């Protein structure tokens, strides 16, 4: 099959890590008989330098014309880069927010998976980790408290701030469907997280999730209050498959879940709309401190490409092959500097490699 992939290499380590993801995709293409066509799309600091704005209309059109977009990262050193002396709407990150909005990317997916080989980076006790955990946080990205009306006013001489949390049934239904669809591709369990003992928006969330669940009799589901979920994530993370939740709860829980997996260089993500289209990117930033040194970890970007194969192209077998290749290379002991064992931890059988060698080794194992 043939696929059009928009590629936003971006700034800092972006171009280095994206090059490795493309290397792996090309190997997948060779092995499984697919052709991936790439269109470079300018966004972030590099677009400011070339076009004067972080994202042009032309770039948005290029993204819309693609089957999916693979992104590295954007932005620079926020204290020293001249990009951060520009007005907020002209800074690199404004490009990403505009792109997400233009493409209506309402569903954010962040896997939290613990590789046995990187167990030492997990702050949880061995008896809690057991033989690892593998969950997916599905967060609503364009509604709720972050997008509601807000104001600060003086009431009877007292400064008073108000934020509004609004969800309508359509917004809940579309993200819930996405959550159940993703669960179907995994272990078929959804934990819907809300605060239905207090919030009306959560009570509506629960009602709609129950309606949607009826269309997925093969997927089991449960409701969990957000405060309990925050505890369960560190008490027994193995119980989770797909966590489905609204914007602010997802913001907090996804950071908590990713923290228990260790390095930022390992964390992939996807943002989806109601078509097969998605924007796939590592969870980390442009890491200006290590840009150009050839030492960045490309695995999060490679795993983001695997998500693209699975969720935008329905190439599950190929996605499995990429994930297995990452696992295999870690088992063989290859590590970029950010996931090297710490002093005092066992070092035998471990070899430090740079960005390109990590990409080569993963591609070779496909
Ligand atoms: P960062 O994630 O870029 O870096 C934090 C730390 O993690 C650094 O020490 C960095 O070296 C390390 N790190 C990150 N990715 C790594 C990788 N793949 N391999 C090895 N080490 C890695 O966060 P920051 O320093 O706060 O932000 C730098 C810039 O990135 C800022 O301009 C910020 O706005 C931007 N940013 C962009 C995105 C995005 O493109 N979606 C996300 C977050 C931050």
């Amino acid at each position: 099959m043939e696929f059009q992939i928009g590629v936003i290499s971006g700034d800092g380590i972006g171009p280095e890590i994206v090059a490795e993801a493309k290397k792996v995709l090309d190997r997948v293409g060779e092995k499984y008989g697919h052709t991936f066509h790439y269109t470079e799309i300018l966004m972030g600091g590099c677009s400011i330098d070339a076009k004067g704005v972080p994202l042009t209309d032309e770039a948005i059109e290029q993204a819309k014309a693609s089957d999916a977009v693979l992104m590295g990262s954007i932005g620079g050193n926020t204290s020293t880069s001249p990009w951060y002396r520009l007005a907020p709407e002209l800074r690199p990150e404004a490009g990403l927010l505009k792109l997400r909005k233009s493409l209506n990317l309402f569903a954010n997916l962040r896997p939290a998976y613990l590789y046995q080989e990187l167990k030492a980076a997990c702050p949880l006790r061995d008896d809690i980790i057991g033989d690892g955990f593998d969950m997916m946080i599905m967060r609503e990205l364009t509604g709720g408290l972050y997008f509601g009306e807000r104001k600060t006013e003086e009431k009877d001489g007292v400064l008073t701030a108000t934020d509004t949390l609004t969800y309508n049934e359509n917004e809940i239904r579309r993200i819930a469907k996405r959550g159940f669809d993703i669960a179907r591709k995994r272990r078929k369990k959804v934990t819907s997280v809300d605060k239905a003992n207090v919030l009306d928006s959560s009570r509506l969330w629960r009602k709609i999730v129950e309606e949607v669940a009826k269309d997925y009799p093969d997927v089991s589901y449960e409701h969990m209050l957000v405060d309990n979920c925050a505890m369960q994530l560190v008490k027994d993370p193995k119980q989770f498959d797909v966590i489905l939740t609204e914007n602010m709860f997802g913001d907090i829980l996804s950071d908590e879940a990713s923290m228990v997996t260790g390095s930022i260089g390992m964390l992939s993500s996807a943002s989806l709309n109601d078509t097969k289209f998605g924007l796939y990117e590592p969870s980390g930033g442009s890491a200006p401190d290590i840009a150009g040194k050839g030492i960045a970890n490309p695995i999060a970007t490679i795993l983001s490409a695997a998500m693209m194969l699975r969720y935008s192209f329905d190439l599950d077998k190929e996605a499995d092959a990429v994930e297995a290749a990452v696992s295999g290379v870690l088992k063989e002991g290859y590590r970029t500097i950010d996931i090297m064992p710490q002093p005092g931890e066992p070092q035998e059988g471990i070899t430090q490699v740079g960005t390109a060698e990590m990409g080569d080794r993963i591609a070779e194992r496909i």
Side-chain angles (χ1 to χ4, degrees), residues 57-77:
D57 291 344
E58 184 201 350
I60 296 174
E61 289 314 311
Q62 286 176 313
K64 282 186 178 164
S66 313
D67 295 318
V69 170
L70 178 68
M71 180 178 144
S73 49
I74 52 148
N77 183 317

Side-chain angles (χ1 to χ4, degrees), residues 187 189 191 222 224 232-233 236-241:
R187 298 193 310 279
K189 179 181 173 195
T191 304
E222 62 181 350
M224 190 178 278
Q232 295 299 328
L233 275 173
D236 181 17
K238 293 188 294 294
Q239 70 183 285
F240 295 111
D241 178 16

Side-chain angles (χ1 to χ4, degrees), residues 244-261:
L244 168 67
T245 192
E246 61 95 79
N247 202 343
M248 182 178 64
F249 298 159
D251 187 9
I252 299 166
L253 295 176
S254 61
D255 268 16
E256 185 188 355
S258 58
M259 180 58 218
V260 295
T261 65

Side-chain angles (χ1 to χ4, degrees), residues 207-340:
K207 177 174 181 290
I208 302 298
V209 166
E210 281 175 9
E211 280 175 24
V212 170
K214 291 195 182 107
D215 294 331
Y216 297 82
D218 51 325
V219 178
S220 69
Y221 77 99
E222 62 181 350
H223 301 290
M224 190 178 278
L225 294 175
V226 62
D227 37 355
N228 185 25
C229 184
M231 290 192 287
Q232 295 299 328
L233 275 173
V234 289
K235 192 170 165 238
D236 181 17
K238 293 188 294 294
Q239 70 183 285
F240 295 111
D241 178 16
V242 173
I243 293 181
L244 168 67
T245 192
E246 61 95 79
N247 202 343
M248 182 178 64
F249 298 159
D251 187 9
I252 299 166
L253 295 176
S254 61
D255 268 16
E256 185 188 355
S258 58
M259 180 58 218
V260 295
T261 65
S263 168
I264 186 124
M266 301 293 298
L267 301 170
S268 52
S269 84
S271 303
L272 312 172
N273 62 21
D274 48 13
T275 70
K276 278 279 165 195
F277 181 90
L279 170 72
Y280 298 86
E281 55 171 325
S283 297
S286 61
D289 52 334
I290 56 167
K293 296 187 178 162
I295 59 171
N297 187 346
I299 292 179
T301 318
I302 291 168
L303 292 173
S304 302
M307 289 180 87
M308 179 172 75
L309 296 173
R310 192 183 303 283
Y311 298 119
S312 280
F313 303 161
D314 278 325
L315 299 178
D316 289 8
K317 180 168 60 36
E318 291 80 344
D320 288 345
V322 174
E323 288 164 2
V326 168
S327 233
V329 166
L330 292 174
K331 275 198 186 77
E332 283 172 347
Y334 294 103
R335 305 277 189 276
T336 43
I337 189 164
D338 57 307
I339 50 174
M340 282 294 285

